[in-house]
Amino acid sequence: MTRITMAKVDLTIPEQQVIGEVLRAFASGRFVSNDLMHTLLGYGIRDIQKLCHLWGESHWSELDDEQIWLVGAVFDTLLAYPHDRWALWYRYVHVSPRNAERIFDKWNYLTVSDDVDQNDC
């Protein structure tokens, strides 16, 4: 069976702040509406706002798997969804979208491991 595991690399404090800025940008509701946010992610604006608060108050390692997934989903949606609101970006995030994505990629990457159960042979 192939298992996909999320491996984490710790971030510097400024890098953690960038991820917080991206979360707050998305939680502002100015990039996608609350209805669309819920459609795309299965979570509404209050959930994203709660995540923003948790990110700022805790180290990311204290978040549960669902919250970690949601951080990634926010990044994917904000950076890939064609919202056409890039002019708003720098009101919320002090680095370019490309640099924000680089920071996120440093923190969040996937590794694949093959686990073979001896009973399956």
Side-chain angles (χ1 to χ4, degrees):
M1 170 177 27
T2 301
R3 181 185 311 165
I4 298 176
T5 343
M6 191 178 292
K8 303 280 189 289
V9 174
D10 214 356
L11 299 173
T12 65
I13 290 173
E15 289 170 333
Q16 291 176 41
Q17 290 170 340
V18 168
I19 289 182
E21 290 173 1
V22 171
L23 294 173
R24 285 187 294 282
F26 194 76
S28 74
R30 306 223 25 221
F31 290 88
V32 297
S33 69
N34 190 30
D35 291 341
L36 182 57
M37 189 181 299
H38 197 275
T39 299
L40 293 171
L41 303 176
Y43 292 88
I45 198 163
R46 292 193 193 278
D47 300 309
I48 307 301
Q49 290 168 340
K50 179 181 175 188
L51 181 63
C52 290
H53 177 75
L54 290 171
W55 186 269
E57 296 296 317
S58 309
H59 187 266
W60 63 263
S61 62
E62 297 174 31
L63 301 178
D64 64 32
D65 289 345
E66 186 175 349
Q67 293 162 335
I68 296 287
W69 176 87
L70 188 53
V71 171
V74 165
F75 262 80
D76 287 345
T77 302
L78 189 58
L79 294 173
Y81 187 79
H83 51 69
D84 293 328
R85 301 214 174 147
W86 291 109
L88 295 173
W89 177 267
Y90 290 102
R91 290 186 185 176
Y92 297 94
V93 185
H94 78 277
V95 301
S96 69
R98 185 175 181 176
N99 282 337
E101 188 170 25
R102 181 193 55 77
I103 290 167
F104 179 73
D105 288 344
K106 173 184 172 184
W107 174 70
N108 180 33
Y109 60 93
L110 297 177
T111 58
V112 178
S113 62
D114 290 325
D115 293 337
V116 179
D117 187 343
Q118 295 299 331
N119 294 328
D120 290 342
C121 296

